[in-house]
Amino acid sequence: MTHAALFRHQFWGEGTYELAIEVGSTDDARLQAVLDAVWGAAGVEGCYGHKDREPEEQETAPRTVAALEEFGHLLGRVRLPSGELVVCDVTAVRGGDDSGDWLAFGVPLSALRQAGAEFEDGPYFRSAAADAWLAGIGRDAYREASFSLGLIGWSVSGLTDAETLGGVLPEKRGMAYLLPSGGVLRYGAVND
C-alpha cells in the first residue's frame, strides 16, 4: 500500500483539499443524510476514528453524527480518478443558534501530493482535477440529500455562505462553487 493511503504518513495539520458543504440546518438527521450521501458518492472504504493508527490497528467506527462528534472527524480511504487509493476525512462544524451546520469531505494535501496530484502555479492553491472530482461527488450527493452550498478548494469550509451569495456564482478566486438554483446544482470555478 502506498503512503498516500496510510493514516500515520499524512501531514494532517497542513489542511485538506475539500468539498465543504453548507448543510442548511442544525438538525442531526439532516447532517446524517448529507454525511451518508457524501460517503456513498465518494465510495469511501471503511470508517475509523483515529489518525494515529492504521485501519487494521483499530475497530471500525459507526458512520454517524454521534461518532463524528465523538472523534471530531471520521476517516476512510477513497480512490482518486487516477486509481490511487488515498486517505480521506470528514469533519463537521455545528452552527448552533448562529448558523447552519457544515460538513467537509477532504483529502490531506500530503496524500494528494504523494498520489501525484498537480496544482496550478499562482497565488491560489488549486487543482483542476481535484476540483472536478470533488464537484462530481457533490453533484451525486446532492441527488440524495440536497444542501445549500458547496465550496471546493484548500480549507474552504465556511469562507462564504449561500445567503451571502444570494444565488449568484461569485468571481472570487481560490475556490470552486456548487450552488443550488431551482433544483439544479450549478458548478463554477474561477481561475486566474
Side-chain angles (χ1 to χ4, degrees):
M1 183 166 304
T2 67
H3 282 84
L6 298 174
F7 291 6
R8 283 193 293 245
H9 286 271
Q10 304 316 310
F11 301 107
W12 294 97
E14 70 181 8
T16 61
Y17 207 85
E18 66 188 12
L19 165 62
I21 294 174
E22 183 181 12
V23 175
S25 79
T26 57
D27 178 62
D28 282 0
R30 186 86 193 101
L31 183 59
Q32 183 67 54
V34 174
L35 171 62
D36 289 340
V38 168
W39 206 271
V44 179
E45 299 173 11
C47 185
Y48 305 94
H50 301 283
K51 292 178 178 177
D52 61 345
R53 296 181 226 161
E54 298 306 325
E56 53 279 355
E57 299 169 344
Q58 61 181 303
E59 292 185 28
T60 59
R63 189 181 65 220
T64 63
V65 171
L68 190 54
E69 290 176 349
E70 176 186 344
F71 293 107
H73 55 254
L74 293 174
L75 309 167
R77 292 178 173 141
V78 66
R79 289 218 178 265
L80 297 174
S82 66
E84 285 283 334
L85 188 65
V86 296
V87 299
C88 63
D89 76 339
V90 172
T91 59
V93 175
R94 304 304 302 262
D97 295 335
D98 297 332
S99 64
D101 294 340
W102 283 82
L103 181 96
F105 166 80
V107 175
L109 292 178
S110 58
L112 286 174
R113 279 192 211 101
Q114 292 168 38
E118 293 185 17
F119 293 91
E120 298 169 11
D121 290 333
Y124 306 106
F125 198 67
R126 298 295 302 279
S127 169
D131 285 358
W133 174 62
L134 290 169
I137 291 169
R139 284 188 187 109
D140 290 347
Y142 185 76
R143 288 187 201 103
E144 299 297 319
S146 64
F147 49 82
S148 300
L149 175 67
L151 302 176
I152 299 170
W154 176 65
S155 298
V156 294
S157 188
L159 292 181
T160 190
D161 58 45
E163 184 178 350
T164 300
L165 294 177
V168 177
L169 287 170
E171 293 189 24
K172 181 176 174 126
R173 300 177 195 278
M175 68 180 92
Y177 303 84
L178 294 170
L179 188 61
S181 178
V184 175
L185 194 64
R186 295 180 296 146
Y187 172 71
V190 181
N191 298 315
D192 274 334

